[in-house]
Amino acid sequence: MTAVVINIVAAAVVPWLIIGLIAKTKAKWAGRKGAPLLQPLYDAVKLVRKGMVVSRSTTPIFAAAPAISLVAVCFAALTVPGPAGNSIVSFSGDLVLFAYLLALARFLGIIAALDTGSSFEGMGASREAFFSTLAEPGLFLILSSLLLASGTDSLSGIGSHLAPRFDESGLLPFVAALGLYLMILVEGHRLPVDDPATHLELTMIHEVMVLDNSGRDLSMITYASGLKMYLFGALAANLLVPRTVTPAAHAGIFLGIFAVITISVGLIESWVARLRMTHVPQFIFVLNIAGILLFFLALLGVKS
Amino acid sequence: MNHYIFGVAAYMAAGLLSLLFGHRIKGYVVAAGALIGSTEIVSAAIAVLQSGTSVSLRIDAGMPIGRILLSLDPLSAFFSIVIAVGSALAVVYGIGYLAPSSGETKRTALHWLFLVGLIVSMLLVIIVQTVFPFLLVWELMSVSSFLLVMFRGERPETRSAGLNYLVTMHIGLLFLFVGLLIPWAGGGSADFADFPHFVRAHPEMLGLVVLFLFAGFGLKAGFIPLHTWLPKAHPVAPSHVSGLMSGVMIKIGIYGILRFAFLFAPLPAAAVFTLLAVSIVSAVFGVLFAIEQHDLKRLLAYHSVENIGIIGIGISVGMLGQILGMPAVALLGFVGALLHVLNHSIFKNLLFFGAGSIQRSTGEMGIDRLGGIAKWMPMTTVFFLTGSIAISGLPPFNGFVSEYLIYLGMIRGLSATSTIALVALVATIAFLALVGALALFCFTKVIGVVFLGAPRTERRTVTRENGLAMLVPMGLLALLCLFIGVVPQPAVLLATSAVVASTTGLASAAGTASIADASAVASLLQISRLLLAFVVVSLVAGVLVWVAGRRRPPRREPTWGCGYPAVNPRMQYTGESYAHGLLSLVRPRAAARESRDRLHGIFPEPRTVHSHVDDPLDVHLLRPAVGGLLAFFRRFSWIQNGNLQLYIAYGLIFLIAALIWTVGAPK
């Protein structure tokens, strides 16, 4: 029961911390002091209190989409193992439900953007749909290779069942974590795929999709985006936590890995520029290649 | 069996009776027969599926047809449910759809007759298990659907698409003829059930028989590269006919493949991997071609190719499980495929009905000329959105459940020891994920461009909802999408008993008539609970959003134009621009063929641009092949020169040759 509570609290708080820590890292690197770590949460509270401005051309789909896609991401979160180890819900093939609930959230976000009839938001929606389409096979390659290597059929079992021989060589969990890390960059709309800090609509992907969202809707979209990053990070962290530690140490190491992931995302954002839009597909192919490599590593491990 | 035959008779009677009634009530007569007939057929089918035993009837029809074996076995029973449900709703929808044409009495009278003909022949083709009558009803099915496509036969594009369809179906018939004739002539029995004896005795013939049969059935189903008739025939047919053909009739091809895959199981590995490869190609390219379409009904037609590919993947996974000796994998693959047959018939009918409603209201099928339909047709929008999410395989609708079962079969297969099987399974998982994501891409385009935003062109007519006859079938289909998505157990159980009864060796794995193994049942229950909770929470969230909007109405402003003041609807992203990024990656050379006038002078006159999307397989593969064949046969055209005397001479020569051969042949 405590494990469930810990997982829920982590899923509720960590996404805000991720966004805050990335901003903090960028500020420190730029020589600034930076806003408090929980500033994104304060912003969200402020946004919820504020009123909304909604485009006249929209239908109720636009009004309902942020809430329902947030619900979809939250349900997807149920299948992902948190800092307390196991996930809240676990069954054979739960990775399909996980990936498809995230896809449902994407579907609703895209049609809500097209609902405004804005050419900019159409552009953002088109890019979002395009890039996440390319990333989808990579995600399934990574997850199914992990199932192959661990001999289980649910996301929750991967960490605990990853055969000892993979721990010895050590390569497989790291390649898998790398692949999931790239998923954070793609699905979390971070550099070098998308620049969340850009000010020019033509160079945006996610930000331009939500141009017409304000107030409560915008805060829900921000949280859903952070939660998605948390979920991919949690899958990666779960692979890297050593097997034989106490639950408290497990949670500590898990969150430590998270801090490392988040700071590295912030550092990348300080160091590199966004890729040209035509080069983003090539970047995402790296993700797919990581998936293919991972499959052959798993195959070699299983066969030996 | 009696119920089934009574159901078929009800359809036939309604079709014939409709001739006696006036044009206003013809549709209602057929609908009454359809409701009675479909109820009878579904009840007969469920009885067969629950008992797991088949009922059969042997008729001696005398010369020239001979003995006929009619058998309603669990596999036929499952498909009969698909046909009965889809047909009844298509008939009801047809009443509303044809209402504006009811003045053309001759045309609509024939239409209802052919529609009943198509439904009856589909219902018969799945229970006839003897070669010659099977081919007869198969041909009846092709011809009646051809006549339905020709509803607007005076239009040149309809005639060309219809003739293309007719010719393609006869090529398919030829394949089937050869494929069925080999075991018939070789084994001496015309009953399908006796064919396995022949292939066991002559294993060298198995590959050839399977190749011809799968090519013939695959043509009906629309596997790539045998799919080119689909995107031609569907846009020109009336919408309920498109829905019936795309949702139900092409599944008869799947029925044929499954029937013989089960009879001849286990098939050689080469056949399984070929089917898997063809299915993956169909799924991926089906959806890619769909994305580049400009016409809504053509787009939906290509999605049928995609879904046939997904069904084929399920069948291949099932056959792979049989080869590998993994009953759980086989069962999950086959059950997933069968359930997807049912699901696709539901959401594809729904989507074609929705497209037909838009066509009725706006007179327009060009995606980039529509927009903002949601404001005028909110019900249709909700139904079409349901179908779109379902066909993209997303929860909480039915498409998710069948794709999940196919995924689960492949995930179970990961414990196999064969390296080739593992590579094939993981590659298939990745491709299926890609197909799902591409379908999402395609349907966000359709919903976003057709239903949302603002209208792109001025409407010639007042856009509004159509009558109940069109809305009610769509609403029922949308409810079915949700029901099977949230409570999948009954449908899964029906599919499971169809598979278990049709295959040997799976019954023990299935234990009681439940699915695969305990953990698959548990997973399905978990999913059912989770999705139920998801639907409830989403509804609550929707209500909260609505209440919040009432209590504190948001300020309504024009869409933010990024500082540009003179925004107009023509600036919206079109379907073509939405898909451009993805398509330019897949097909660097422009997908669409464009013809545009050059601009002249300082103040050019208005110019027009035409854009047309070709099917690359049709243009680069089939047309050259057919052209080569034609050139070859043209060399023999001197034989057929229109001279009657010469034709009589041919007859005489043939008779003399036949006489000499009969007399001279060694006894």
Side-chain angles (χ1 to χ4, degrees):
Chain A
M1 196 57 213
T2 45
V4 173
V5 173
I6 291 172
N7 283 344
I8 290 177
V9 170
V13 178
V14 176
W16 301 111
L17 288 173
I18 293 176
I19 304 170
L21 188 55
I22 292 174
K24 191 85 176 174
T25 313
K26 284 163 76 175
K28 287 280 176 204
W29 188 263
R32 289 183 283 117
K33 186 161 168 262
L37 276 182
L38 279 176
Q39 186 61 40
L41 186 57
Y42 305 150
D43 288 345
V45 172
K46 189 178 71 187
L47 279 174
V48 171
R49 290 219 198 101
K50 286 173 105 174
M52 292 200 290
V53 182
V54 172
S55 160
R56 277 193 205 115
S57 74
T58 56
T59 60
I61 289 177
F62 182 82
I68 296 179
S69 37
L70 179 60
V71 172
V73 179
C74 289
F75 270 80
L78 294 178
T79 62
V80 173
N86 287 338
S87 58
I88 298 168
V89 179
S90 158
F91 53 89
S92 323
D94 50 5
L95 70 140
V96 184
L97 186 68
F98 165 73
Y100 275 46
L101 277 171
L102 290 187
L104 178 67
R106 197 162 77 223
F107 189 107
L108 294 172
I110 291 170
I111 61 171
L114 290 168
D115 198 6
T116 60
S118 148
S119 51
F120 284 106
E121 287 178 55
M123 180 186 70
S126 162
R127 289 173 179 170
E128 158 99 0
F130 177 22
F131 297 144
S132 46
T133 299
L134 295 181
E136 193 89 343
L139 176 65
F140 272 81
L141 276 174
I142 293 167
L143 294 180
S144 56
S145 306
L146 284 172
L147 294 187
L148 174 63
S150 60
T152 55
D153 53 11
S154 69
L155 289 177
S156 193
I158 291 173
S160 48
H161 285 82
L162 210 52
R165 55 173 173 273
F166 291 113
D167 277 350
E168 285 160 22
S169 72
L171 195 55
L172 184 125
F174 282 97
V175 175
L178 175 74
L180 291 165
Y181 182 79
L182 295 178
M183 275 312 285
I184 297 180
L185 299 183
V186 176
E187 286 288 316
H189 312 285
R190 314 307 305 195
L191 282 171
V193 176
D194 185 10
D195 184 0
T198 181
H199 60 277
L200 178 63
E201 292 90 348
L202 284 174
T203 61
M204 297 175 180
I205 300 175
H206 179 69
E207 301 300 309
V208 74
M209 261 179 77
V210 299
L211 269 185
D212 265 274
N213 287 103
S214 54
R216 184 191 66 225
D217 286 355
L218 187 60
S219 69
M220 284 196 279
I221 291 169
T222 311
Y223 175 63
S225 179
L227 186 56
K228 268 205 275 186
M229 285 200 279
Y230 166 75
L231 295 180
F232 290 115
L235 286 174
N238 192 48
L239 293 173
L240 300 178
V241 179
R243 295 300 153 259
T244 49
V245 289
T246 61
H250 186 282
I253 297 171
F254 184 93
L255 293 174
I257 293 170
F258 242 104
V260 173
I261 291 176
T262 312
I263 291 172
S264 70
V265 172
L267 287 177
I268 289 176
E269 242 159 77
S270 309
W271 295 340
V272 304
R274 192 181 59 71
L275 288 172
R276 237 170 68 195
M277 221 42 102
T278 46
H279 289 176
V280 173
Q282 295 163 13
F283 179 79
I284 300 176
F285 285 142
V286 176
L287 168 69
N288 289 292
I289 289 165
I292 294 171
L293 181 67
L294 190 67
F295 167 64
F296 284 108
L297 280 177
L299 195 63
L300 284 177
V302 172
K303 287 280 161 187
S304 64
Chain B
M1 199 70 192
N2 285 338
H3 280 285
Y4 194 90
I5 290 174
F6 180 74
V8 177
Y11 266 105
M12 280 179 173
L16 294 174
L17 275 177
S18 78
L19 291 176
L20 304 177
F21 288 89
H23 61 264
R24 274 182 208 291
I25 42 175
K26 270 188 207 313
Y28 294 97
V29 174
V30 177
L35 290 180
I36 298 170
S38 287
T39 320
E40 288 292 312
I41 287 162
V42 170
S43 73
I46 287 181
V48 165
L49 283 169
Q50 273 174 345
S51 68
T53 50
S54 46
V55 283
S56 44
L57 187 68
R58 212 173 258 289
I59 307 171
D60 195 350
M63 284 300 283
I65 297 172
R67 289 182 312 105
I68 308 174
L69 175 62
L70 297 177
S71 170
L72 185 67
D73 58 12
L75 185 65
S76 318
F78 188 84
F79 277 89
S80 73
I81 294 179
V82 174
I83 299 170
V85 174
S87 304
L89 292 173
V91 167
V92 175
Y93 179 88
I95 297 176
Y97 189 79
L98 290 180
S101 328
S102 69
E104 303 166 83
T105 44
K106 212 183 268 177
R107 200 192 289 269
T108 45
L110 286 175
H111 175 84
W112 287 116
L113 195 64
F114 298 146
L115 189 64
V116 170
L118 172 62
I119 296 168
V120 167
S121 56
M122 287 196 294
L123 287 169
L124 287 179
V125 86
I126 55 168
I127 60 166
V128 174
Q129 311 254 14
T130 315
V131 174
F132 187 55
F134 174 82
L135 289 172
L136 269 183
V137 278
W138 181 271
E139 178 64 8
L140 187 66
M141 179 171 79
S142 297
V143 171
S144 51
S145 52
F146 159 72
L147 292 167
L148 286 171
V149 171
M150 295 294 273
F151 184 66
R152 295 268 168 225
E154 71 277 9
R155 295 182 185 160
E157 72 267 20
T158 307
R159 269 205 305 277
S160 119
L163 285 176
N164 178 292
Y165 173 64
L166 191 68
V167 171
T168 315
M169 284 306 110
H170 283 87
I171 297 170
L173 184 71
L174 202 66
F175 283 131
L176 284 187
F177 205 74
V178 177
L180 293 173
L181 215 59
I182 295 174
W184 181 13
S189 167
D191 291 343
F192 295 163
D194 295 327
F195 285 3
H197 302 309
F198 169 73
V199 295
R200 296 279 170 275
H202 306 270
E204 73 282 357
M205 298 300 272
L206 178 62
L208 201 63
V209 172
V210 168
L211 182 71
F212 274 109
L213 286 178
F214 280 18
F217 289 124
L219 232 150
K220 186 60 108 185
F223 281 101
I224 285 178
L226 310 171
H227 68 288
T228 48
W229 65 270
L230 265 159
K232 291 193 180 114
H234 288 318
V236 296
S239 285
H240 56 292
V241 175
S242 312
L244 196 60
M245 283 172 69
S246 188
V248 179
M249 192 193 71
I250 62 173
K251 305 300 164 30
I252 306 294
I254 295 292
Y255 159 79
I257 289 176
L258 272 175
R259 162 77 60 208
F260 289 97
F262 285 154
L263 269 181
F264 296 149
L267 288 177
V272 175
F273 284 112
T274 310
L275 182 64
L276 182 61
V278 168
S279 304
I280 290 176
V281 168
S282 301
V284 174
F285 284 92
V287 64
L288 273 178
F289 292 154
I291 289 173
E292 61 188 30
Q293 296 308 315
H294 300 162
D295 180 293
L296 185 53
K297 283 171 94 179
R298 271 176 78 93
L299 179 146
L300 292 176
Y302 274 111
H303 267 285
S304 295
V305 178
E306 174 222 336
N307 279 283
I308 287 292
I310 293 175
I311 294 167
I313 288 174
I315 297 174
S316 314
V317 169
M319 299 200 302
L320 200 60
Q322 287 181 321
I323 297 180
L324 294 172
M326 301 171 90
V329 177
L331 196 57
L332 283 166
F334 285 133
V335 170
L338 265 189
L339 192 61
H340 204 71
V341 166
L342 176 66
N343 289 342
H344 181 245
S345 80
I346 294 170
F347 48 65
K348 187 42 72 68
N349 256 335
L350 174 56
L351 291 170
F352 265 117
F353 290 179
S357 298
I358 296 171
Q359 196 170 26
R360 259 285 150 268
S361 300
T362 65
E364 182 63 74
M365 273 290 93
I367 292 172
D368 290 341
R369 284 195 289 272
L370 290 161
I373 297 282
K375 293 192 190 67
W376 291 278
M377 301 171 74
M379 304 281 278
T380 308
T381 306
V382 170
F383 300 149
F384 200 95
L385 181 62
T386 305
S388 299
I389 299 179
I391 199 174
S392 307
L394 298 178
F397 298 110
N398 57 354
F400 173 73
V401 179
S402 41
E403 288 195 26
Y404 166 76
L405 288 175
I406 297 173
Y407 273 120
L408 188 60
M410 292 192 279
I411 290 170
R412 281 289 148 75
L414 292 180
S415 54
T417 47
S418 145
T419 309
I420 299 175
L422 284 178
V423 173
L425 285 172
V426 172
T428 312
I429 290 177
F431 276 118
L432 196 52
L434 178 66
V435 168
L438 286 170
L440 184 154
F441 188 98
C442 191
F443 276 95
T444 47
K445 162 182 146 175
V446 174
I447 293 286
V449 176
V450 173
F451 289 91
L452 304 177
R456 285 176 177 73
T457 47
E458 299 223 350
R459 291 283 145 69
R460 276 163 288 175
T461 51
V462 183
T463 310
R464 54 181 164 75
E465 291 284 9
N466 294 289
L468 282 180
M470 289 166 84
L471 283 176
V472 169
M474 285 197 275
L476 286 176
L477 288 168
L479 275 180
L480 267 178
C481 282
L482 183 65
F483 177 75
I484 298 181
V486 176
V487 191
Q489 285 87 350
V492 172
L493 213 62
L494 290 180
T496 308
S497 46
V499 173
V500 169
S502 317
T503 46
T504 48
L506 291 187
S508 51
T512 57
S514 69
I515 176 165
D517 44 62
S519 89
V521 181
S523 309
L524 217 54
L525 192 65
Q526 283 273 24
I527 286 187
S528 164
R529 281 189 196 145
L530 267 179
L531 291 184
L532 199 62
F534 173 72
V535 171
V536 171
V537 175
S538 298
L539 284 177
V540 169
V543 170
L544 285 179
V545 165
W546 182 73
V547 169
R550 288 294 292 264
R551 272 181 46 199
R552 205 172 144 195
R555 219 166 77 216
R556 304 291 275 188
E557 295 285 340
T559 298
W560 171 236
C562 302
Y564 183 69
V567 177
N568 78 49
R570 292 292 297 275
M571 288 178 185
Q572 292 175 93
Y573 245 47
T574 59
E576 201 171 349
S577 41
Y578 182 76
H580 181 262
L582 180 76
L583 290 179
S584 59
L585 183 77
V586 182
R587 284 173 74 180
R589 286 185 298 151
R593 194 152 44 83
E594 287 189 354
S595 61
R596 60 176 83 217
D597 304 344
R598 299 290 285 276
L599 296 178
H600 295 290
I602 300 169
F603 299 105
E605 300 270 300
R607 297 285 161 175
T608 53
V609 176
H610 295 279
S611 173
H612 183 80
V613 186
D614 286 322
D615 187 322
L617 289 173
D618 196 18
V619 175
H620 300 299
L621 189 73
L622 288 188
R623 276 189 215 164
V626 172
L629 268 180
L630 276 180
F632 176 72
F633 283 120
R634 217 163 271 139
R635 295 181 178 196
F636 302 97
S637 63
W638 55 268
I639 296 176
Q640 193 177 19
N641 60 359
N643 189 337
L644 189 65
Q645 286 92 329
L646 208 57
Y647 290 171
I648 294 172
Y650 292 156
L652 202 63
I653 293 169
F654 171 76
L655 282 178
I656 292 170
L659 195 69
I660 293 171
W661 188 70
T662 342
V663 174
K667 288 281 167 314

